[in-house]
Amino acid sequence: MTSIAAAHYRGNKSFSVDTITAAPPGPGEVSVRVAYCGICGTDMHVFHGNMDARVGFERVIGHEMSGTVEALGDGVSGFSAGQKVVVRPLVHCGECPACRSGHEHICHNLKFLGLDTNGAMQEIWTVPAHTLHALPDDLRLDHAALIEPVAVACHDVRLSDLQDGEDVVVIGGGSIGILVAMVARDAGGKVVLSEVNPHRLAIAQKLGFETVNPAESDLAAEINQRTGDKGADVVFEVSGTQPGVDAMTKVAATRARIVMVAIHAQKPEIDLFQFFWRELKLIGARVYEPQDYEQAIAIITSGGVDAETVITDVAPLSDIQAAFEALDSSPTALKSLIKVGENA
């Protein structure tokens, strides 16, 4: 039996770091020694108590991770001890209409590892082998912890059918918005990022993006001026706000594709007249598929995503409480990582 450290969510914005026994891998499973785990928006929703009914008060959360193979269960091949990997944290049922149609990532009975099961904020994490993706030997494990959110961006951009040279507007400059912007630029898009937070605007500008602060200037007028009154061919709504939804139809060109990336806590009002008037398309995008993970690995490895700039904070697992509290109050943080393994 191996004793490991694990951070449990206890409710009321609190975590405890406890010593537990690592679960050995069963048939078809792999144990992964976790190196780093990112804190995402969903994790912050857990921290704020918004998902207590789903996760309870004994859950180890976390899914944006990187690590190395620790042990293989019976029947697992294709991986070896010490190999660098990431986990695509989705488990599908294989029987529902979505699965039978080949859309396992939006399975009707989808389980999300780190929410519906224990996750990566522990030193050894045992997962189904089919969730693993191998990494290049030379990819840094802190950078690799960005693969899950970059895969979200890859999925969003792929569904948008973005073509080289098209005008793109990303509404919202948080971590996912910045990553969508970088993946869209890597695909050949001419990207403008809209954001009201001056610290996020500064990061976007450091990354070489044209930016607009809609609190200070008319976003639609700015986009029209930059595109010869055409508007944006592709729009990503990543803000999760009503003003963002209002803007997405105002900046859209004729027959533009609008991708709904953000999760809206309340039903927003949408200007359907503009969909009729300009023959717009609205595309829903949820999580990712295996090919998006492979693309994310390739983009991070090639430098298409500036991992050093995106990662703004790293804290040890023992300081997880302080890390969540700091992120909750920080106007400057973009992506915070927890260093889970002592030798990461």
Side-chain angles (χ1 to χ4, degrees), residues 56-216:
F57 306 113
E58 301 286 337
R59 180 72 74 230
V60 177
I61 65 170
H63 56 273
E64 298 183 356
M65 59 75 65
S66 63
T68 56
V69 172
E70 180 75 7
L72 305 176
D74 290 343
V76 177
S77 60
F79 295 95
S80 57
Q83 185 175 10
K84 292 181 178 181
V85 293
V86 288
V87 172
R88 178 171 37 85
L90 308 178
V91 175
H92 59 278
C93 73
E95 299 176 354
C96 71
C99 287
R100 292 198 302 268
S101 299
H103 306 305
E104 291 93 349
H105 70 295
I106 47 175
C107 167
H108 294 187
N109 306 301
L110 188 70
K111 286 188 177 180
F112 201 100
L113 306 185
L115 292 174
D116 302 308
T117 69
N118 283 336
M121 298 286 192
Q122 56 183 320
E123 290 178 299
I124 296 178
W125 187 25
T126 298
V127 297
H130 70 80
T131 66
L132 292 190
H133 288 259
L135 300 177
D137 290 338
D138 59 350
L139 182 59
R140 285 171 45 176
L141 286 174
D142 54 345
H143 291 182
L146 295 179
I147 286 168
E148 194 271 354
V150 173
V152 170
C154 289
H155 189 67
D156 300 336
V157 173
R158 179 165 63 86
L159 293 189
S160 77
D161 195 29
L162 175 62
Q163 303 299 305
D164 185 41
E166 287 190 312
D167 290 298
V168 177
V169 172
V170 177
I171 301 171
S175 58
I176 293 295
I178 287 286
L179 294 175
V180 167
M182 283 192 277
V183 173
R185 181 170 63 186
D186 190 74
K190 296 184 290 186
V191 180
V192 176
L193 188 139
S194 171
E195 172 59 53
V196 297
N197 182 315
H199 301 288
R200 291 176 174 178
L201 285 169
I203 291 173
Q205 291 159 5
K206 178 182 177 181
L207 290 166
F209 290 107
E210 295 186 30
T211 62
V212 177
N213 185 341
E216 297 178 353

Side-chain angles (χ1 to χ4, degrees), residues 139-307:
L139 182 59
R140 285 171 45 176
L141 286 174
D142 54 345
H143 291 182
L146 295 179
I147 286 168
E148 194 271 354
V150 173
V152 170
C154 289
H155 189 67
D156 300 336
V157 173
R158 179 165 63 86
L159 293 189
S160 77
D161 195 29
L162 175 62
Q163 303 299 305
D164 185 41
E166 287 190 312
D167 290 298
V168 177
V169 172
V170 177
I171 301 171
S175 58
I176 293 295
I178 287 286
L179 294 175
V180 167
M182 283 192 277
V183 173
R185 181 170 63 186
D186 190 74
K190 296 184 290 186
V191 180
V192 176
L193 188 139
S194 171
E195 172 59 53
V196 297
N197 182 315
H199 301 288
R200 291 176 174 178
L201 285 169
I203 291 173
Q205 291 159 5
K206 178 182 177 181
L207 290 166
F209 290 107
E210 295 186 30
T211 62
V212 177
N213 185 341
E216 297 178 353
S217 59
D218 187 316
L219 177 62
E222 288 275 355
I223 298 304
N224 282 334
Q225 190 274 327
R226 294 165 191 242
T227 61
D229 289 328
K230 173 178 65 70
D233 304 296
V234 178
V235 182
F236 297 94
E237 203 310 276
V238 201
S239 73
T241 66
Q242 184 62 55
V245 172
D246 294 339
M248 74 185 190
T249 51
K250 291 178 180 178
V251 302
T254 297
R255 290 198 167 182
R257 289 94 68 200
I258 300 174
V259 182
M260 182 58 69
V261 179
I263 299 173
H264 287 258
Q266 297 179 337
K267 292 181 180 180
E269 293 184 3
I270 300 175
D271 186 354
L272 292 179
F273 178 78
Q274 290 300 319
F275 282 86
F276 157 77
W277 195 245
R278 292 196 170 182
E279 293 193 347
L280 306 178
K281 292 182 180 180
L282 181 61
I283 302 165
R286 181 181 169 198
V287 291
Y288 27 66
E289 297 175 79
Q291 68 194 86
D292 302 309
Y293 251 69
E294 292 301 318
Q295 184 185 0
I297 293 168
I299 288 177
I300 292 177
T301 302
S302 70
V305 165
D306 184 345

